């Protein structure tokens, strides 16, 4: 005779538990509301408590979309990523595009210089022929630099 498989049930969490878990996640790095919601749901915490806890944290400015935008932009610029990649990552995280654009303006990044540095780190020299130029262009595009920036740095592919 087969026995019924045991199912694990999570004891009902209270608001304080949800809040503490959210604060623990925020202590590691800034998050968007959407990211926190996803992470807390993965921990099988009740949705209604998640929303309440996040509302409280936002009202106390512990959860801040503006701070998230600033932290993301600074971090990605430091890692040599371009504006298109930063916007894409922010969008995936559920961040407000307007806030991200404002944070990028405030950072006053020189995108051409960042692209130059990324190209120099990866390849060490300018492309010597068409095939190298294509390879370097693809790399810079994957890092989130615009076609205009890549063209300014590497020149026109057909000259």
């Amino acid at each position: 005779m087969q026995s019924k498989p045991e199912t694990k049930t999570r004891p009902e969490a209270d608001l304080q538990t949800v809040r503490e878990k959210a604060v623990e996640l925020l202590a590691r790095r800034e998050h968007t509301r959407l990211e926190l919601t996803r992470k807390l749901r993965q921990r099988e915490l009740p949705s209604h408590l998640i929303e309440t806890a996040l509302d409280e944290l936002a009202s106390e400015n512990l959860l801040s979309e503006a701070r998230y935008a600033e932290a993301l932009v600074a971090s990605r610029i430091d890692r040599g990523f371009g504006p298109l990649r930063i916007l894409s990552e922010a969008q995936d995280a559920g961040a407000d595009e307007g806030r991200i654009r404002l944070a990028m303006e405030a950072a006053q990044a020189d995108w051409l210089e960042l692209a130059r540095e990324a190209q120099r780190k990866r390849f060490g020299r300018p492309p010597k022929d068409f095939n190298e130029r294509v390879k370097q262009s693809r790399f810079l595009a994957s890092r989130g630099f615009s076609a205009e920036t890549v063209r300014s740095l590497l020149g026109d592919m057909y000259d």
Side-chain angles (χ1 to χ4, degrees):
M1 184 164 132
Q2 288 184 332
S3 64
K4 266 171 85 174
E6 271 187 51
T7 58
K8 291 185 180 181
T9 57
R10 184 172 183 84
E12 187 61 30
D14 63 358
L15 182 59
Q16 187 60 31
T17 303
V18 175
R19 184 184 162 84
E20 286 171 2
K21 191 55 166 168
V23 168
E24 183 181 310
L25 290 166
L26 286 168
R28 292 183 189 137
R29 72 167 178 86
E30 296 294 337
H31 288 75
T32 63
R33 185 180 184 103
L34 179 63
E35 285 179 316
L36 274 180
T37 300
R38 286 177 184 159
K39 288 182 178 185
L40 294 171
R41 283 188 180 151
Q42 286 174 348
R43 289 166 173 78
E44 300 177 0
L45 297 169
S47 293
H48 69 284
L49 293 179
I50 291 171
E51 292 307 313
T52 303
L54 296 184
D55 288 343
E56 286 180 6
L57 293 174
S59 72
E60 297 167 17
N61 202 28
L62 294 173
L63 172 61
S64 168
E65 298 286 331
R67 238 184 359 257
Y68 171 84
E70 291 168 7
L72 177 75
V73 168
S75 164
R76 296 311 182 256
I77 287 173
D78 286 347
R79 292 177 56 196
F81 291 117
L84 302 176
R85 173 83 176 259
I86 295 170
L87 284 170
S88 176
E89 285 188 31
Q91 203 171 37
D92 291 346
D96 177 61
E97 184 178 330
R99 285 189 198 266
I100 297 298
R101 288 187 185 280
L102 285 173
M104 286 193 301
E105 285 176 25
Q108 297 181 337
D110 182 343
W111 300 115
L112 182 60
E113 187 53 38
L114 284 169
R116 181 175 287 116
E117 183 58 31
Q119 183 267 346
R120 190 177 12 240
K121 274 184 173 178
R122 176 69 180 246
F123 300 102
R125 60 184 165 80
K128 63 181 179 194
D129 61 23
F130 180 80
N131 288 337
E132 278 191 26
R133 192 174 288 170
V134 169
K135 184 177 181 178
Q136 291 185 22
S137 294
R138 274 195 224 124
F139 168 74
L140 292 169
S142 76
R143 299 287 288 197
F145 295 101
S146 70
E148 180 182 321
T149 300
V150 172
R151 203 170 15 262
S152 294
L153 178 61
L154 300 179
D156 191 358
M157 296 275 194
Y158 304 103
D159 57 2

